[in-house]
Amino acid sequence: MTSRPEHLPERLALLSDVQAAEYISSGLLEGREDIPSIALNKITEPLADIDERFQLHRVRDLIDDTMDRFRDERPTAADAWLAPRLHETLRLTRGEAAEKRLWTYLALGVAPDYVVWRHLPEPKSDGSGGRVARDKFVGPHYKQAFSRLWWAAELFRDGPDYRPVVTACGNQDMINSALRLDIIDHRTTALALVGLLEKGIVRTGREVNALTSAVNAAAATLLYDVVAPDVERSGDPLRAWIEAAASALPSPRGELPVGPEEERVPEEAVDTLSAHFEELLVDAPVRGRTADEQG
């Protein structure tokens, strides 16, 4: 299995897709090869900002703890635990998180062993092994191994509260479907979807996929922000949270971290959209559901 990089510099860096291509071999994708970390770090671009957030060991320690904690479980179970802690450890603005080269470096320069551990498919029935999808190293934000977790935490958190993130990331179909949709940037929509998971109204992957498709389609004719408006957010809590990174302790392992002290989404708005989405689910075509069950 792919090993932890032998050479880990002090700070995170940037790595382009073109540079990364040389290191994404068949052996890596099959978990048979390691990354030549010294050579890779010679071609990276240093981050312009010099602050505590970009100390590499903070992220690597978190990843080591994740793999140790879930070593006897299915790797998918790690998502719900790691997502809020990765978000709280890095403390990025959305603009910084849109820098694709940062996530590529995390996947190849910091934790290729994690990407292989988490995303290598189980052996097939004939004993042959699978391959990690290339986009787990260099894919879009909703597929790349670390970017998908950070954005899930950013979009599903309720201000400082990461509990909705745990629920969302505990359902692979939710994060795989919802992160592709522009409407998930509307906080009330994101929390309404989580609410249906928490209540058990949406349970199966097929129901999740049907619901997110129906919600996205309905958004074309119904302005969710008019029906269930979010509060206007100030940038001050986020800036204060980022500035506090220099003195912050490592993200807590035994309890959820605390995000920026932004105002929470109004409960009545979430309830309004949850009720509407429940109605959409009744008429949504769920694959495998009988006509009587469809209603």
Side-chain angles (χ1 to χ4, degrees):
M1 188 69 76
T2 299
S3 302
R4 188 180 195 267
E6 291 184 356
H7 174 66
L8 291 171
E10 293 184 3
R11 293 175 49 75
L12 299 174
L14 304 175
L15 184 70
S16 71
D17 286 1
V18 172
Q19 293 169 321
E22 178 182 349
Y23 297 92
I24 305 176
S25 63
S26 295
L28 174 66
L29 297 179
E30 293 169 5
R32 297 184 289 101
E33 294 180 1
D34 297 337
I35 291 289
S37 51
I38 294 177
L40 182 141
N41 278 284
K42 287 181 178 178
I43 64 171
T44 59
E45 179 181 333
L47 284 162
D49 293 330
I50 300 177
D51 63 41
E52 189 67 23
R53 293 180 297 157
F54 303 125
Q55 294 296 313
L56 185 149
H57 72 88
R58 293 173 66 90
V59 181
R60 183 65 231 196
D61 289 349
L62 176 62
I63 291 166
D64 286 338
D65 287 349
T66 303
M67 296 175 70
D68 182 64
R69 179 177 290 261
F70 292 93
R71 64 183 180 276
D72 297 325
E73 299 183 42
R74 292 179 64 87
T76 51
D79 286 358
W81 189 86
L82 179 56
R85 291 168 176 84
L86 180 68
H87 186 273
E88 193 267 347
T89 296
L90 289 173
R91 302 198 183 199
L92 303 173
T93 66
R94 290 192 177 188
E96 291 169 332
E99 175 54 85
K100 192 172 185 289
R101 294 176 298 167
L102 175 63
W103 303 114
T104 301
Y105 179 72
L106 268 174
L108 284 168
V110 179
D113 53 326
Y114 170 85
V115 179
V116 171
W117 171 81
R118 168 60 184 83
H119 293 286
L120 184 67
E122 294 183 1
K124 299 177 183 177
S125 56
D126 61 4
S128 60
R131 290 162 60 102
V132 176
R134 191 175 185 275
D135 56 26
K136 299 306 177 186
F137 287 97
V138 293
H141 75 279
Y142 54 85
K143 286 190 174 182
Q144 204 269 354
F146 294 110
S147 179
R148 67 192 284 270
L149 297 180
W150 190 93
W151 281 104
E154 172 67 11
L155 296 171
F156 284 106
R157 67 181 173 87
D158 187 8
D161 185 4
Y162 285 115
R163 284 177 297 176
V165 178
V166 174
T167 301
C169 291
N171 185 298
Q172 292 297 306
D173 293 284
M174 178 60 76
I175 56 175
N176 290 339
S177 298
L179 287 185
R180 299 169 182 262
L181 308 177
D182 290 341
I183 57 166
I184 208 65
D185 191 42
H186 181 234
R187 293 199 304 164
T188 315
T189 295
L191 294 177
L193 290 172
V194 169
L196 295 185
L197 281 175
E198 291 175 335
K199 295 173 184 176
I201 294 169
V202 177
R203 298 181 301 275
T204 68
R206 290 177 178 181
E207 288 175 338
V208 169
N209 292 331
L211 175 63
T212 53
S213 295
V215 167
N216 191 54
T221 55
L222 182 67
L223 297 177
Y224 292 149
D225 199 37
V226 173
V227 175
D230 191 0
V231 293
E232 188 168 337
R233 288 181 287 176
S234 165
D236 293 339
L238 178 62
R239 283 190 291 271
W241 186 66
I242 289 173
E243 289 171 0
S247 58
L249 295 172
S251 193
R253 300 331 195 220
E255 58 189 26
L256 278 177
V258 177
E261 290 292 339
E262 296 172 335
E263 192 168 348
R264 295 172 187 258
V265 177
E267 287 188 22
E268 59 273 18
V270 175
D271 291 341
T272 297
L273 271 195
S274 291
H276 176 63
F277 292 168
E278 189 173 349
E279 293 175 0
L280 290 179
L281 181 63
V282 171
D283 296 324
V286 178
R287 189 162 60 90
R289 191 162 69 179
T290 66
D292 288 342
E293 291 172 325
Q294 293 279 126

